[in-house]
C-alpha cells in the first residue's frame, strides 16, 4: 500500500446533500441543533445548506434562517451551495465563509439539473466571482466527474480542462464529485493523480457516494494518491434520485472510523459523531446507511461468554 | 495505485456463511436451486454447506441432502465447512471436492465457538488430514485473523505461525477470515504481504465481512498486494451475531461489479448474478445488503429527461 496522508480533513454535508432528497422537511431548529453539534466534533468544514429556489428543493427553503442562526466555531469553515448570483448574495448576507459553485462536466446532466449549458453555468460563475471575490472562499465542484447517469463515463481530459477553467476564472479550490456513485477505485486513482499533477497546489476535495458500495474503496484509492479532503454525510444520509432504496453519500462516521483504524488522523471525535448518527433515525423517521453506528467500532470489545475462560 | 491481478477468483459462500444465521430455514429444494443457479454464473468455488451439528446450526441441518442433490458443473470447486472428523467423512461421502477446516487464531474465540483450544482444534485437523488426504482438497481458514470481538487485534506473527502449522500438517490452501468485520485496509495490506512473503506459492483466500463498511476497501488493499481469491455472499447475506442490523459478508455482486469496473476479470456473468441477488428478498423474506442489485451497474444509463437534448 502506498503511503497515506498523516492527516485528513473531514467535510460534513449531511444538512445539504443529505437532507435535500429526504421525504420529510426537517424542522429548522433541528437543522440548527444538528449543525451546532457537528461543529463540536472536529470536522473541518460543514456544508450548511443550499441557497436554491425553495420550489426546486423545498427541504432547504429555510437556508437563510439556518445559516444565520448557527453558532460558529473557530476553525470550522461554513459553506453553502449556491446556484447563481442571487444565491451567492444571500449566502454572503447570511455570513457563509465559502460558496460552493457546482457544474456538471456532463453537458446533458448540467442541462437536466441546472437548465443551463456548461458554458452558461461558467458565465454565472464569473458573475459570482466578480461580485464576491475576497469576501468568501469560492469552491468549484465538478459534478458527474466520474460518470453521468445519462452520458456514462466522462473523459478525464474534459474534467481536467474544466478544473483549469475554474482556476482561470478565480475559484480557490476544486471538488471532484461522484454525483451518482459511479466511480471505481482505479478510475479515482487515475483522475486524482492527473488533477494533482496539473494543479497540485490547489486544495482538492473528493465527494463520493456509496451508491454501488464502492465509497470507502474509492476513498482508499484517493488517499493513496495523496488526497486529504473528503466530503461525507452523517449516517450516510441522502439517496440516489435514480434508484429508490440505494444509499447516498459515504457515511461520515464510517469514513472517520476507517481512517482512524488505519492510523490516519482526522481530528474528529468519533464517539460523539456516532452518538449524533445514532440520533438520526429519530429525527428523520427512518434507518441510516452508516454501518459503524450499528456494529460499533472495531475496537469495541465484547464480554467473553459465560463459562469460557479468556485465553492468551 | 499498485498494479492489480488481471484475473480474480470469486468464491461464493451464501448458502453456508450467508444462511447460517438467517432467522428462517431455507427449504432444501430452494438451497439446491440457488446453488445450481450459482454454478452457472462463472464463480470458481461454492461453499455449499457446513457439516456441523444440526443443533448448533439448524439452518444447515440438510447438509448431506443438499450436497448430494446439487448438479456439478465442471470447473467449479464444491466445498463444505467441516468442524471435525465425523463432518469430514460425511462431506466426503456427499462428494465434496474440498473441505474447509476452521480455527480461530484468537484462543478465546475458538473456545467460545468450538469449545476447543486451538491446539485441540489442530489435533482434530491432523486426524482429518490422516483420513482424507488425497481424496479431497483441504483448506485451512484462520478465523478472527484481523481481530477478535473478545480479544481485539491479533498479532500478525500469531497468524503467520498458525498458517505455517496449517501447511506443516498438510493443508493445501489458506483463508484469512475477518470473521466479525474488524479489518482495515492498512492492516489487510500488511498481513497479505507478510503471508505471501512467507508462503507465496500457497493459494490464499481473503474472506471479508462488511460489518463496518470497509469490505470492498479491504478487497482493494488485498488486490494491491496480489491477492486473487475472495469469498463473498450473494446479496451480502449474513449478519453479525454481535450486532443486530449489521451487514454480513461482502456482497458477491458488488465485489464482481467493482472488479469488472476496474478491468479485473472475474469470469462471472454479472447480469445473471444480479438477477439471483434480486430474487433473494422473496426467498428470505427480507431486504439484502448488496447495493448494485438496487442501484444497477455504473454503466446502466438512464433516459435523458423529456425536454432536454442530449449534449456532447
Amino acid at each position: 500500500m502506498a503511503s497515506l496522508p498523516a492527516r485528513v480533513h473531514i467535510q460534513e454535508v449531511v444538512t445539504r446533500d443529505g437532507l435535500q432528497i429526504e421525504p420529510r422537511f426537517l424542522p429548522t431548529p433541528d437543522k440548527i441543533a444538528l449543525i451546532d453539534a457537528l461543529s463540536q466534533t472536529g470536522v473541518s468544514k460543514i456544508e450548511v445548506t443550499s441557497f436554491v429556489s425553495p420550489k426546486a428543493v423545498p427541504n432547504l427553503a429555510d437556508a437563510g434562517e439556518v445559516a444565520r442562526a448557527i453558532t460558529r466555531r473557530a476553525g470550522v469553515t461554513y459553506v453553502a451551495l449556491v446556484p447563481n448570483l442571487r444565491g451567492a448574495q444571500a449566502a454572503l448576507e447570511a455570513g457563509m465563509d465559502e460558496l460552493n459553485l457546482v457544474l456538471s462536466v456532463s453537458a446533458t446532466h448540467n442541462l437536466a439539473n441546472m437548465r443551463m449549458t456548461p458554458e452558461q453555468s461558467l458565465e454565472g460563475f464569473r458573475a459570482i466571482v466578480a461580485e464576491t471575490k475576497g469576501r468568501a472562499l469560492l469552491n468549484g465542484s465538478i459534478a458527474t466527474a466520474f460518470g453521468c447517469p445519462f452520458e456514462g463515463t466522462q473523459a478525464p481530459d474534459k474534467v481536467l480542462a474544466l478544473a483549469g477553467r475554474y482556476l482561470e476564472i478565480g475559484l480557490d479550490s476544486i471538488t471532484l464529485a461522484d454525483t451518482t456513485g459511479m466511480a471505481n477505485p482505479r478510475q479515482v486513482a487515475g483522475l486524482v493523480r492527473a488533477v494533482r499533477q496539473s494543479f497540485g497546489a490547489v486544495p482538492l476535495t473528493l465527494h463520493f457516494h456509496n451508491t454501488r458500495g464502492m465509497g470507502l474503496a474509492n476513498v482508499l484509492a484517493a488517499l493513496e494518491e495523496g488526497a486529504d479532503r473528503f466530503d461525507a454525510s452523517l449516517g450516510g444520509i441522502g439517496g440516489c434520485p435514480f434508484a429508490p432504496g440505494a444509499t447516498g453519500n459515504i457515511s461520515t462516521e464510517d469514513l472517520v472510523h476507517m481512517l482512524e483504524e488505519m492510523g490516519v488522523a482526522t481530528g474528529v471525535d468519533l464517539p460523539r459523531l456516532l452518538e449524533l448518527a445514532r440520533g438520526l433515525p429519530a429525527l428523520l423517521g427512518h434507518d441510516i446507511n452508516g454501518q459503524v453506528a450499528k456494529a460499533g467500532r472495531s475496537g469495541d470489545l465484547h464480554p467473553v461468554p459465560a463459562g469460557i475462560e479468556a485465553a492468551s
Side-chain angles (χ1 to χ4, degrees), chain A:
Chain A
M1 172 170 295
S3 75
L4 306 182
R7 167 67 153 95
V8 157
H9 296 277
I10 304 297
Q11 306 178 167
E12 177 59 57
V13 302
V14 63
T15 54
R16 201 280 298 168
D17 205 3
L19 292 184
Q20 70 184 7
I21 72 162
E22 276 295 308
R24 294 196 326 212
F25 180 83
L26 183 68
T28 306
D30 290 340
K31 285 178 182 142
I32 296 165
L34 180 56
I35 293 166
D36 286 350
L38 287 165
S39 286
Q40 303 298 319
T41 59
V43 296
S44 298
K45 203 179 264 198
I46 298 176
E47 192 156 298
V48 171
T49 187
S50 178
F51 284 86
V52 287
S53 146
K55 264 190 223 156
V57 188
N59 278 351
L60 305 182
D62 54 2
E65 198 180 342
V66 170
R68 272 187 292 271
I70 56 173
T71 302
R72 306 302 183 88
R73 181 176 172 138
V76 180
T77 302
Y78 295 90
V79 190
L81 189 151
V82 301
N84 51 36
L85 185 56
R86 188 191 301 181
Q89 287 162 336
L92 271 187
E93 279 159 25
M96 293 290 93
D97 304 316
E98 182 174 306
L99 310 181
N100 187 18
L101 315 184
V102 182
L103 140 56
S104 299
V105 65
S106 152
T108 309
H109 192 265
N110 206 61
L111 281 165
N113 259 32
M114 324 274 186
R115 308 279 152 180
M116 287 190 278
T117 65
E119 281 303 323
Q120 289 169 327
S121 287
L122 275 174
E123 276 311 306
F125 288 8
R126 281 198 192 86
I128 294 172
V129 173
E131 175 84 8
T132 66
K133 187 76 180 174
R135 295 159 66 204
L137 291 166
L138 297 171
N139 183 68
S141 285
I142 300 181
T144 67
F146 299 94
C148 161
F150 311 121
E151 292 185 5
T153 308
Q154 300 294 301
D157 283 352
K158 264 174 75 179
V159 177
L160 286 172
L162 185 55
R165 296 198 64 188
Y166 277 12
L167 300 174
E168 270 167 37
I169 68 175
L171 305 188
D172 303 300
S173 56
I174 290 171
T175 295
L176 299 177
D178 183 25
T179 311
T180 58
M182 294 169 67
N184 72 71
R186 184 173 287 192
Q187 179 190 23
V188 167
L191 194 55
V192 170
R193 175 172 292 197
V195 169
R196 283 173 52 89
Q197 277 172 351
S198 296
F199 316 107
V202 178
L204 173 67
T205 292
L206 277 297
H207 176 105
F208 292 126
H209 284 232
N210 196 37
T211 319
R212 291 167 179 89
M214 294 182 279
L216 293 186
N218 287 332
V219 168
L220 179 62
L223 282 173
E224 291 192 81
E225 294 295 339
D228 63 356
R229 293 166 193 271
F230 293 93
D231 284 351
S233 170
L234 188 71
I237 293 305
C240 175
F242 298 104
T247 54
N249 294 86
I250 57 171
S251 146
T252 313
E253 67 276 16
D254 289 5
L255 171 64
V256 169
H257 176 263
M258 181 176 87
L259 292 169
E260 297 281 342
E261 287 289 317
M262 288 197 295
V264 175
T266 62
V268 173
D269 178 347
L270 181 56
R272 181 69 186 118
L273 204 60
L274 286 168
E275 270 178 51
L276 294 177
R278 289 175 181 137
L280 283 177
L283 272 183
L284 302 175
H286 60 76
D287 197 9
I288 60 174
N289 298 315
Q291 292 299 311
V292 180
K294 292 170 191 169
R297 295 174 296 178
S298 293
D300 293 341
L301 300 189
H302 294 261
V304 176
I308 304 298
E309 246 178 276
S312 70

mmCIF file of all heavy atoms in Angstrom, chain A residues 258-279:
data_model
loop_
_atom_site.group_PDB
_atom_site.id
_atom_site.type_symbol
_atom_site.label_atom_id
_atom_site.label_comp_id
_atom_site.label_asym_id
_atom_site.label_seq_id
_atom_site.Cartn_x
_atom_site.Cartn_y
_atom_site.Cartn_z
ATOM 1 N N MET A 258 -12.773 4.304 9.531
ATOM 2 C CA MET A 258 -11.765 3.633 8.691
ATOM 3 C C MET A 258 -10.434 4.366 8.769
ATOM 4 O O MET A 258 -9.373 3.737 8.935
ATOM 5 C CB MET A 258 -12.228 3.529 7.235
ATOM 6 C CG MET A 258 -11.208 2.814 6.345
ATOM 7 S SD MET A 258 -11.742 2.548 4.631
ATOM 8 C CE MET A 258 -11.236 4.108 3.884
ATOM 9 N N LEU A 259 -10.476 5.682 8.662
ATOM 10 C CA LEU A 259 -9.230 6.457 8.685
ATOM 11 C C LEU A 259 -8.512 6.279 10.015
ATOM 12 O O LEU A 259 -7.307 6.016 10.061
ATOM 13 C CB LEU A 259 -9.535 7.934 8.416
ATOM 14 C CG LEU A 259 -10.027 8.250 7.000
ATOM 15 C CD1 LEU A 259 -10.562 9.678 6.922
ATOM 16 C CD2 LEU A 259 -8.915 8.041 5.977
ATOM 17 N N GLU A 260 -9.239 6.411 11.106
ATOM 18 C CA GLU A 260 -8.601 6.300 12.423
ATOM 19 C C GLU A 260 -8.053 4.887 12.638
ATOM 20 O O GLU A 260 -6.973 4.708 13.203
ATOM 21 C CB GLU A 260 -9.584 6.680 13.539
ATOM 22 C CG GLU A 260 -10.063 8.150 13.476
ATOM 23 C CD GLU A 260 -9.047 9.159 14.023
ATOM 24 O OE1 GLU A 260 -8.131 8.733 14.753
ATOM 25 O OE2 GLU A 260 -9.171 10.360 13.708
ATOM 26 N N GLU A 261 -8.773 3.875 12.158
ATOM 27 C CA GLU A 261 -8.277 2.498 12.278
ATOM 28 C C GLU A 261 -6.973 2.314 11.500
ATOM 29 O O GLU A 261 -6.124 1.512 11.870
ATOM 30 C CB GLU A 261 -9.324 1.502 11.763
ATOM 31 C CG GLU A 261 -10.528 1.320 12.683
ATOM 32 C CD GLU A 261 -10.185 0.565 13.957
ATOM 33 O OE1 GLU A 261 -9.455 -0.434 13.867
ATOM 34 O OE2 GLU A 261 -10.622 0.988 15.044
ATOM 35 N N MET A 262 -6.838 3.077 10.403
ATOM 36 C CA MET A 262 -5.611 2.971 9.596
ATOM 37 C C MET A 262 -4.499 3.871 10.126
ATOM 38 O O MET A 262 -3.420 3.926 9.531
ATOM 39 C CB MET A 262 -5.911 3.349 8.140
ATOM 40 C CG MET A 262 -6.724 2.305 7.408
ATOM 41 S SD MET A 262 -6.659 2.529 5.589
ATOM 42 C CE MET A 262 -7.486 4.088 5.425
ATOM 43 N N GLY A 263 -4.767 4.605 11.198
ATOM 44 C CA GLY A 263 -3.745 5.498 11.739
ATOM 45 C C GLY A 263 -3.663 6.831 11.019
ATOM 46 O O GLY A 263 -2.673 7.557 11.165
ATOM 47 N N VAL A 264 -4.692 7.170 10.253
ATOM 48 C CA VAL A 264 -4.749 8.479 9.599
ATOM 49 C C VAL A 264 -5.580 9.398 10.491
ATOM 50 O O VAL A 264 -6.752 9.121 10.760
ATOM 51 C CB VAL A 264 -5.403 8.368 8.199
ATOM 52 C CG1 VAL A 264 -5.586 9.741 7.572
ATOM 53 C CG2 VAL A 264 -4.587 7.456 7.293
ATOM 54 N N ALA A 265 -4.966 10.492 10.961
ATOM 55 C CA ALA A 265 -5.658 11.380 11.899
ATOM 56 C C ALA A 265 -6.726 12.200 11.180
ATOM 57 O O ALA A 265 -6.532 12.637 10.045
ATOM 58 C CB ALA A 265 -4.654 12.309 12.558
ATOM 59 N N THR A 266 -7.855 12.404 11.846
ATOM 60 C CA THR A 266 -8.932 13.236 11.299
ATOM 61 C C THR A 266 -9.251 14.419 12.210
ATOM 62 O O THR A 266 -9.910 15.358 11.781
ATOM 63 C CB THR A 266 -10.240 12.428 11.158
ATOM 64 O OG1 THR A 266 -10.644 11.985 12.467
ATOM 65 C CG2 THR A 266 -10.042 11.214 10.252
ATOM 66 N N GLY A 267 -8.819 14.347 13.457
ATOM 67 C CA GLY A 267 -9.182 15.377 14.420
ATOM 68 C C GLY A 267 -10.634 15.311 14.854
ATOM 69 O O GLY A 267 -11.125 16.191 15.555
ATOM 70 N N VAL A 268 -11.342 14.264 14.442
ATOM 71 C CA VAL A 268 -12.777 14.164 14.739
ATOM 72 C C VAL A 268 -13.005 13.252 15.944
ATOM 73 O O VAL A 268 -12.369 12.206 16.082
ATOM 74 C CB VAL A 268 -13.558 13.643 13.515
ATOM 75 C CG1 VAL A 268 -15.007 13.366 13.867
ATOM 76 C CG2 VAL A 268 -13.463 14.639 12.368
ATOM 77 N N ASP A 269 -13.936 13.668 16.794
ATOM 78 C CA ASP A 269 -14.338 12.912 17.979
ATOM 79 C C ASP A 269 -15.339 11.838 17.519
ATOM 80 O O ASP A 269 -16.545 12.097 17.432
ATOM 81 C CB ASP A 269 -14.985 13.897 18.961
ATOM 82 C CG ASP A 269 -15.493 13.228 20.231
ATOM 83 O OD1 ASP A 269 -15.591 11.987 20.283
ATOM 84 O OD2 ASP A 269 -15.803 13.978 21.180
ATOM 85 N N LEU A 270 -14.821 10.635 17.262
ATOM 86 C CA LEU A 270 -15.673 9.587 16.678
ATOM 87 C C LEU A 270 -16.818 9.169 17.609
ATOM 88 O O LEU A 270 -17.952 9.014 17.139
ATOM 89 C CB LEU A 270 -14.820 8.389 16.253
ATOM 90 C CG LEU A 270 -15.561 7.218 15.615
ATOM 91 C CD1 LEU A 270 -16.382 7.641 14.399
ATOM 92 C CD2 LEU A 270 -14.581 6.112 15.220
ATOM 93 N N PRO A 271 -16.571 8.978 18.904
ATOM 94 C CA PRO A 271 -17.710 8.611 19.770
ATOM 95 C C PRO A 271 -18.846 9.637 19.715
ATOM 96 O O PRO A 271 -20.028 9.284 19.669
ATOM 97 C CB PRO A 271 -17.080 8.551 21.170
ATOM 98 C CG PRO A 271 -15.642 8.212 20.917
ATOM 99 C CD PRO A 271 -15.296 8.915 19.625
ATOM 100 N N ARG A 272 -18.494 10.931 19.675
ATOM 101 C CA ARG A 272 -19.531 11.959 19.600
ATOM 102 C C ARG A 272 -20.261 11.896 18.254
ATOM 103 O O ARG A 272 -21.493 12.038 18.187
ATOM 104 C CB ARG A 272 -18.876 13.337 19.803
ATOM 105 C CG ARG A 272 -19.836 14.491 19.784
ATOM 106 C CD ARG A 272 -20.752 14.486 21.022
ATOM 107 N NE ARG A 272 -21.764 15.516 20.917
ATOM 108 C CZ ARG A 272 -23.076 15.270 20.880
ATOM 109 N NH1 ARG A 272 -23.535 14.035 20.992
ATOM 110 N NH2 ARG A 272 -23.933 16.269 20.781
ATOM 111 N N LEU A 273 -19.497 11.665 17.197
ATOM 112 C CA LEU A 273 -20.090 11.549 15.863
ATOM 113 C C LEU A 273 -21.056 10.361 15.821
ATOM 114 O O LEU A 273 -22.146 10.445 15.228
ATOM 115 C CB LEU A 273 -18.960 11.341 14.852
ATOM 116 C CG LEU A 273 -19.205 11.726 13.400
ATOM 117 C CD1 LEU A 273 -19.540 13.203 13.257
ATOM 118 C CD2 LEU A 273 -17.950 11.406 12.568
ATOM 119 N N LEU A 274 -20.667 9.251 16.454
ATOM 120 C CA LEU A 274 -21.531 8.066 16.471
ATOM 121 C C LEU A 274 -22.819 8.339 17.241
ATOM 122 O O LEU A 274 -23.896 7.899 16.834
ATOM 123 C CB LEU A 274 -20.775 6.870 17.070
ATOM 124 C CG LEU A 274 -19.718 6.274 16.129
ATOM 125 C CD1 LEU A 274 -18.814 5.293 16.877
ATOM 126 C CD2 LEU A 274 -20.379 5.573 14.932
ATOM 127 N N GLU A 275 -22.710 9.094 18.327
ATOM 128 C CA GLU A 275 -23.932 9.484 19.056
ATOM 129 C C GLU A 275 -24.879 10.258 18.148
ATOM 130 O O GLU A 275 -26.094 10.028 18.141
ATOM 131 C CB GLU A 275 -23.569 10.422 20.222
ATOM 132 C CG GLU A 275 -23.279 9.770 21.532
ATOM 133 C CD GLU A 275 -22.881 10.837 22.558
ATOM 134 O OE1 GLU A 275 -23.612 11.840 22.715
ATOM 135 O OE2 GLU A 275 -21.799 10.680 23.175
ATOM 136 N N LEU A 276 -24.320 11.201 17.399
ATOM 137 C CA LEU A 276 -25.162 12.006 16.512
ATOM 138 C C LEU A 276 -25.783 11.140 15.416
ATOM 139 O O LEU A 276 -26.960 11.291 15.077
ATOM 140 C CB LEU A 276 -24.354 13.147 15.885
ATOM 141 C CG LEU A 276 -23.851 14.207 16.869
ATOM 142 C CD1 LEU A 276 -22.994 15.247 16.136
ATOM 143 C CD2 LEU A 276 -25.028 14.898 17.568
ATOM 144 N N ALA A 277 -24.989 10.220 14.860
ATOM 145 C CA ALA A 277 -25.517 9.330 13.810
ATOM 146 C C ALA A 277 -26.649 8.480 14.372
ATOM 147 O O ALA A 277 -27.681 8.277 13.724
ATOM 148 C CB ALA A 277 -24.399 8.445 13.255
ATOM 149 N N ARG A 278 -26.471 8.007 15.611
ATOM 150 C CA ARG A 278 -27.499 7.154 16.218
ATOM 151 C C ARG A 278 -28.769 7.934 16.542
ATOM 152 O O ARG A 278 -29.832 7.352 16.757
ATOM 153 C CB ARG A 278 -26.941 6.471 17.473
ATOM 154 C CG ARG A 278 -25.907 5.392 17.123
ATOM 155 C CD ARG A 278 -25.240 4.776 18.347
ATOM 156 N NE ARG A 278 -24.255 3.774 17.919
ATOM 157 C CZ ARG A 278 -23.039 3.634 18.449
ATOM 158 N NH1 ARG A 278 -22.645 4.402 19.461
ATOM 159 N NH2 ARG A 278 -22.211 2.724 17.981
ATOM 160 N N GLY A 279 -28.661 9.256 16.587
ATOM 161 C CA GLY A 279 -29.846 10.084 16.816
ATOM 162 C C GLY A 279 -30.632 10.374 15.544
ATOM 163 O O GLY A 279 -31.773 10.856 15.604
#
